[in-house]
């Protein structure tokens, strides 16, 4: 990871800490390596599940006949069932193909439930949503990356970092921590 690239450093730190994206070894992230469609589905799964890993070795429960690595089957099946990922055809997912920026935008937009509010035409509707003010999934992404370019692990990290901090279309559930003891609360409702 290039220490001078602040956006990449922050993204890799957060995604590694959250167990969304692991390194390619103990000491490298592999920021310049290309990301495949199956890897991106797994990263989306982990992001949406708070860093929880998909069960490895699951049988292929999708209509896709070209899934070969059981490491990714559960994440792809989950993402497909949730409407986050589509195949290249009815029976082909193309798991080892590189993921293009426009495909990544579509997956993130669907995962964050922004597609529910309007009919989005692929890819331009997803691109528009992903780059709108307040969302800006491309914040920190190299401006040379075009919509049809395949993404590197570094590009993916920046996109998912931005997605982590973006507002979602998913209804939030308010949770409150309950504790034992005679605590007093300050004006903001925090324990003192």
């Amino acid at each position: 990871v290039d220490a001078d690239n602040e956006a990449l450093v922050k993204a890799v730190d957060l995604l590694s800490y959250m167990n969304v994206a692991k390194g390619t070894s103990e000491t490298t992230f592999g920021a310049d390596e290309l990301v495949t469609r199956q890897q991106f589905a797994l990263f989306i799964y982990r992001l949406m599940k708070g860093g929880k890993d998909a069960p490895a070795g699951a049988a292929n429960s999708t209509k896709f006949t070209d899934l070969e690595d059981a490491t990714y089957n559960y994440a792809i099946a989950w993402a497909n069932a949730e409407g986050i990922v589509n195949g290249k055809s009815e029976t082909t997912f193309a798991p080892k193909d590189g993921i293009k920026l426009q495909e990544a935008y579509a997956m993130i937009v669907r995962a964050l439930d922004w597609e529910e509010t309007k009919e989005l035409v692929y890819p331009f509707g997803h691109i528009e949503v992903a780059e709108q003010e307040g969302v800006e999934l491309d914040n920190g992404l190299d401006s040379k990356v075009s919509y049809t370019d395949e993404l590197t692990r570094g590009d993916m990290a920046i996109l998912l970092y931005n997605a982590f901090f973006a507002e979602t279309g998913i209804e939030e559930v308010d949770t409150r921590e309950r504790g034992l003891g005679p605590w007093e609360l300050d004006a903001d409702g925090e324990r003192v």
Side-chain angles (χ1 to χ4, degrees):
V1 175
D2 178 5
D4 293 332
N5 186 338
E6 185 179 334
L8 180 59
V9 170
K10 288 189 326 190
V12 170
D13 283 348
L14 177 69
L15 297 181
S16 296
Y17 174 77
M18 290 183 56
N19 194 42
V20 171
K22 302 171 184 177
T24 55
S25 76
E26 288 294 320
T27 59
T28 60
F29 183 74
D32 294 328
E33 294 180 26
L34 293 179
V35 177
T36 64
R37 288 172 49 83
Q38 65 188 2
Q39 290 168 338
F40 199 79
L42 181 59
F43 294 143
I44 290 284
Y45 176 88
R46 289 178 185 155
L47 180 71
M48 299 306 293
K49 298 293 184 177
K52 181 180 173 188
D53 222 340
N60 179 7
S61 62
T62 70
K63 59 189 175 205
F64 304 124
T65 59
D66 60 345
L67 301 184
E68 298 171 359
D69 189 341
T71 304
Y72 304 99
N73 286 349
Y74 189 89
I76 293 169
W78 170 83
N80 184 247
E82 293 291 319
I84 296 168
V85 299
N86 298 318
K88 295 280 188 163
S89 74
E90 284 295 314
T91 59
T92 305
F93 183 72
K96 294 181 182 178
D97 283 4
I99 186 154
K100 296 176 181 166
L101 178 58
Q102 64 192 21
E103 294 170 328
Y105 276 170
M107 287 183 189
I108 294 170
V109 165
R110 292 175 189 143
L112 296 178
D113 209 21
W114 291 326
E115 195 174 46
E116 290 294 317
T117 58
K118 53 184 149 180
E119 295 292 319
L120 298 180
V121 176
Y122 177 82
F124 301 109
H126 298 91
I127 291 168
E128 183 180 330
V129 170
E131 293 181 351
Q132 73 186 355
E133 189 173 334
V135 176
E136 302 167 282
L137 293 180
D138 61 338
N139 189 24
L141 193 63
D142 189 331
S143 62
K144 294 177 191 167
V145 178
S146 76
Y147 303 126
T148 56
D149 284 348
E150 293 181 350
L151 299 178
T152 65
R153 289 174 53 87
D155 299 332
M156 170 277 308
I158 290 169
L159 290 176
L160 294 183
Y161 175 87
N162 292 334
F164 178 78
F165 289 104
E167 293 289 326
T168 69
I170 301 168
E171 184 177 327
E172 289 188 33
V173 177
D174 186 24
T175 59
R176 297 182 184 262
E177 183 178 322
R178 295 182 72 186
L180 301 173
W183 291 288
E184 293 183 36
L185 301 178
D186 64 14
D188 295 324
E190 300 293 322
R191 289 190 290 193
V192 288

